[in-house]
Amino acid sequence: MMRRKINELFIILSGAGALAGWAAGEWMLMQLSGTLGDALLMGFYFGTLAFFIVLGGLLAETIAPRLNGANWRLRYAGDGWKWLVPASFALLLATGTLMQWAYGFDLRRSAEPQDYVVLLDMSESMKETDPQMESRKAAASLVESIAADKRIAIALFNEKVSWLQPLAAVKDPSVRRDIVTRLKQAAAPAGQTDIAGALQQAAQHMIESGTAKRRGAVILLSDGYSPTDAPAVTAPYTTAGLTIHTVGLAAAGNEEGKGLLRQLAEATGGTFRHADQAALVPEAFGSIYSSEQQWHLMEARGGGEADSLYRAAARVVGLLLLGGLMGLSLGIVFDHRHLARSFLIGGAVAGLLAGLLLELSLPDSSPVLVRAGADLLLAAGLSASTYLYGVKENEGGAGMRPFKRSGHPPALSKSANTSIDRAGSRFR
């Protein structure tokens, strides 16, 4: 017999868990992007999200066991807490890593940018955050290592933009040497920061210089913040398929600046990297160039892969599988195969909807809010699944794992056997 069940406390606490997982995930994206590989980053993101959602559901059922019944709280709740981490965090970490690998698999190297514009902050504050001019050394290293079939431009900016080198081919080694010399001889930092003005000029320069659609990228480094209308600034980039990669150099209390740089990068499908110290800037620049075709499941795509059907399908299917496995995680900790079935179906449907939300909304909306909506959608689908997809009432022996007995079980009367579930096992 199928029965619809609902636990209002489950809805509330799993939703709270989704918000906690979202907040932890945003911290990971802010602090670990560029330092942890995308596959592991997404593994930790979904593992943490699953942990908090399942934690909320388990806590709700422990307090008010509406889905499992009071007998579950007496016999199985303790085992549920033991299975919490392996069934949620570990399982989804492994699956999230695999799904990200499939999503980011490099199919087309022909889509790499051909033109790069490097924008270096030269405002007064850079004297303190980058006293050894590591940012200019990083730009010089990029010039020396960039492929011969590329074009590169270098500009310094404060309130104004100073072009050390407009877009030029670097096939001739003398061109590279000339750009490096200009970087070494550039003026000392001074003035204020105007990030919006620098990006606007960079987009205009690439368009006027004939940068092909979806074949240009900006690498911007700054330690500061300036009032910026991010949607207006990034509009020319999204229209032309140009990508913005940003590097935030550490500065005390500059969370607002890091948030802006990350927002600008996400809006165009680029990457944000945070350098705790100036010495890490060359590594950040190098990783941008070497991994420019990498994207992860929770951010917009840019460049030549913005309209990729493969990546769109991989994101949606990946979220569907991740949502279904979150449902399976709940079934494992609840030791209930019939609940697991309902959770798995509800999680898969919620994952499908979350994947579609990410795919359709990320390019034009605030990525932070879109991710929050997707995470909450997963929690809502899981918590409502036992009502939408009825749960079959337990039958004897319907468990998921063997019951640990010591000696022979006590004899039960016939009436007792009909009123008490046989303590079979996991997935009762």
Side-chain angles (χ1 to χ4, degrees):
M1 177 179 177
M2 306 298 288
R3 179 183 174 188
R4 298 178 185 271
K5 297 183 177 183
I6 195 74
N7 185 341
E8 295 81 2
L9 186 60
F10 189 111
I11 296 174
I12 295 171
L13 293 186
S14 64
L19 289 176
W22 165 75
E26 290 302 308
W27 179 88
M28 292 179 202
L29 295 178
M30 176 71 75
Q31 299 296 328
L32 302 180
S33 290
T35 59
L36 190 66
D38 283 343
L40 274 178
L41 179 62
M42 286 296 96
F44 277 106
Y45 185 100
F46 286 106
T48 302
L49 177 64
F51 171 80
F52 280 111
I53 290 177
V54 175
L55 172 63
L58 181 57
L59 183 60
E61 278 293 289
T62 301
I63 296 172
R66 301 284 180 83
L67 306 180
N68 289 281
N71 188 51
W72 169 83
R73 182 164 58 186
L74 293 173
R75 294 189 174 208
Y76 298 97
D79 285 344
W81 287 99
K82 295 177 183 177
W83 279 87
L84 174 60
V85 173
S88 60
F89 178 79
L91 177 61
L92 271 295
L93 185 151
T95 308
T97 299
L98 180 61
M99 292 300 100
Q100 173 56 40
W101 178 86
Y103 176 74
F105 187 74
D106 190 0
L107 293 174
R108 302 190 308 171
R109 273 295 173 189
S110 61
E112 292 179 356
Q114 289 298 113
D115 295 344
Y116 287 85
V117 174
V118 179
L119 298 174
L120 302 178
D121 190 343
M122 68 166 192
S123 61
E124 185 76 24
S125 60
M126 291 292 287
K127 290 181 178 179
E128 296 183 5
T129 55
D130 188 14
Q132 302 301 318
M133 301 296 180
E134 295 290 346
S135 57
R136 301 187 191 187
K137 295 176 184 177
S141 178
L142 179 61
V143 170
E144 292 171 340
S145 63
I146 196 170
D149 63 338
K150 310 290 187 184
R151 293 196 301 173
I152 193 168
I154 307 289
L156 305 181
F157 71 93
N158 44 29
E159 302 98 330
K160 299 179 180 180
V161 178
S162 174
W163 290 94
L164 296 183
Q165 175 63 60
L167 272 171
V170 292
K171 187 174 182 179
D172 187 342
S174 64
V175 175
R176 300 177 190 257
R177 290 194 297 268
D178 188 42
I179 297 174
V180 171
T181 299
R182 294 182 190 181
L183 278 165
K184 293 178 180 178
Q185 297 174 348
Q192 303 299 313
T193 303
D194 184 2
I195 293 173
L199 287 172
Q200 288 167 348
Q201 287 202 36
Q204 182 180 357
H205 179 62
M206 281 191 288
I207 293 170
E208 291 178 350
S209 300
T211 298
K213 191 171 185 178
R214 299 175 182 167
R215 302 303 294 276
V218 167
I219 300 176
L220 180 145
L221 176 139
S222 178
D223 69 339
Y225 169 82
S226 62
T228 301
D229 184 349
V233 169
T234 57
Y237 287 86
T238 55
T239 300
L242 306 175
T243 305
I244 300 172
H245 299 285
T246 55
V247 178
L249 187 54
N254 190 30
E255 294 302 316
E256 194 174 21
K258 288 191 292 185
L260 171 62
L261 294 179
R262 185 163 176 265
Q263 182 182 7
L264 292 168
E266 286 187 343
T268 61
T271 57
F272 166 77
R273 285 166 170 77
H274 175 66
D276 290 325
Q277 49 187 305
L280 298 177
V281 171
E283 179 183 343
F285 271 46
S287 64
I288 288 173
Y289 179 62
S290 63
S291 63
E292 57 197 1
Q293 287 299 300
Q294 297 299 312
W295 312 270
H296 64 67
L297 287 163
M298 302 302 282
E299 284 188 351
R301 293 186 305 277
E305 294 292 279
D307 301 322
S308 168
L309 292 178
Y310 166 77
R311 304 212 188 277
R315 191 202 304 265
V316 174
V317 172
L319 267 294
L320 182 152
L321 292 174
L322 289 164
L325 284 177
M326 287 187 193
L328 181 61
S329 298
L330 281 165
I332 292 173
V333 299
F334 287 155
D335 192 6
H336 198 307
R337 72 179 183 185
H338 300 310
L339 280 178
R341 173 183 172 275
S342 294
F343 284 135
L344 192 151
I345 295 173
V349 172
L352 173 65
L353 296 176
L356 290 172
L357 174 65
L358 291 166
E359 187 61 32
L360 297 175
S361 301
L362 275 175
D364 303 311
S365 306
S366 169
V368 174
L369 295 180
V370 173
R371 284 192 289 268
D375 292 350
L376 284 171
L377 188 57
L378 285 168
L382 289 168
S383 59
S385 59
T386 53
Y387 183 80
L388 298 175
Y389 311 100
V391 181
K392 187 176 181 181
E393 292 297 324
N394 263 351
E395 300 172 355
M400 287 180 71
R401 65 170 182 165
F403 180 64
K404 297 178 181 177
R405 293 184 174 89
S406 56
H408 297 285
L412 296 176
S413 68
K414 182 176 181 180
S415 60
N417 272 315
T418 60
S419 61
I420 300 177
D421 284 342
R422 189 170 65 193
S425 48
R426 179 157 297 281
F427 281 152
R428 294 160 284 124

